[in-house]
Amino acid sequence: MFPIYKKELQSFFYTPFAYAFAALFMLLFSLSFSIGISNLEGTNTWAFSFTEMFYSVIIYFIFLIPILTIRTFAEERKNGTEVLLMTSPVSVFKIVMAKFFANVTVYIFMLLGTAFFPILTAMKGEVIVSQLICAYIGIFFWGTMYIAVGMFISSLTESLLLAFIIDEIIMFVLLFVDDFSNTPFIAQYPKIQSVIYAFAAQPRFAYFSEGFIRLSDMVFFGSVIIVFLAWTYISIEKRRWNRG
């Protein structure tokens, strides 16, 4: 598994992709930070919560994470290099997990860059450290969930554009499913509303951003990640069997 993980990381960090991707993320994060600072005009300190910034970051993920994950399988299939994986002695489980951990490593690399902003804020004002740590844990779970979703979509098609579009749709659904459950029409049916709301990720992230870590929220994100990774495994295993 480690050779594949290493190969995936090299494909990221030995090319401009990872750095351009991280730079784009930092640019968007910087814009959110600048907007937050501008709202403090007339005050003496930089004391504010990063909660709103992290909510903005979630919106950015909808456009950024698919760019990261569509390469996982769709690009290999398009370039004809997937056959090397399909015929390798490495199990499909190890292939999926190696690619997943490689994507998560790049994601962590992105998040580490944002640590500059809380440090800068702490130098000029104050930061609620416990809330910040919880928010980072929440954003890590959220992004990792999106990575698992993106990998599954990437395993279904060789079209990068199609994988990107489907990924976008699913991520929007995961983001706004709680709003949908609260629409007047759905609210007429409390049982259906409760079922739909159970799949809402945004309210669970809200607890993290407010400084609370609940086991139920961690189980939710962990379960979604495991389910989509399992579907990815099934999708790739099916393709391997079809190749004989």
Side-chain angles (χ1 to χ4, degrees), residues 34 36 38 51 60 109 154 188 215 217 219:
S34 299
S38 65
T51 300
Y60 301 152
F109 169 72
S154 180
Q188 299 178 66
L215 179 60
D217 299 329
V219 169

Side-chain angles (χ1 to χ4, degrees), residues 186-197:
I186 299 297
Q188 299 178 66
Y189 309 96
K191 292 184 178 180
I192 296 178
Q193 183 185 35
S194 62
V195 171
I196 296 176
Y197 192 81

Side-chain angles (χ1 to χ4, degrees), residues 55 134 202-214 217:
Y55 271 113
C134 290
Q202 183 169 292
R204 300 178 185 278
F205 172 75
Y207 282 100
F208 282 105
S209 64
E210 292 170 3
F212 299 99
I213 297 180
R214 303 192 308 174
D217 299 329

Side-chain angles (χ1 to χ4, degrees), residues 55-139:
Y55 271 113
S56 298
V57 169
I58 288 176
I59 298 295
Y60 301 152
F61 282 168
I62 294 178
F63 301 99
L64 290 176
I65 295 298
I67 299 175
L68 176 66
T69 57
I70 58 175
R71 309 171 72 253
T72 309
F73 294 106
E75 188 174 62
E76 289 212 17
R77 190 179 305 176
K78 182 179 179 179
N79 295 336
T81 56
E82 185 193 42
V83 64
L84 299 177
L85 287 177
M86 295 297 102
T87 57
S88 69
V90 181
S91 67
V92 172
F93 174 77
K94 291 182 178 179
I95 292 173
V96 171
M97 295 309 299
K99 286 179 173 289
F100 172 70
F101 287 132
N103 282 314
V104 171
T105 301
V106 175
Y107 177 57
I108 292 174
F109 169 72
M110 292 165 48
L111 289 182
L112 287 176
T114 66
F116 165 79
F117 298 98
I119 293 173
L120 179 62
T121 303
M123 293 171 59
K124 298 294 184 176
E126 67 176 280
V127 173
I128 304 175
V129 178
S130 59
Q131 184 184 42
L132 180 66
I133 292 174
C134 290
Y136 265 111
I137 293 174
I139 208 72

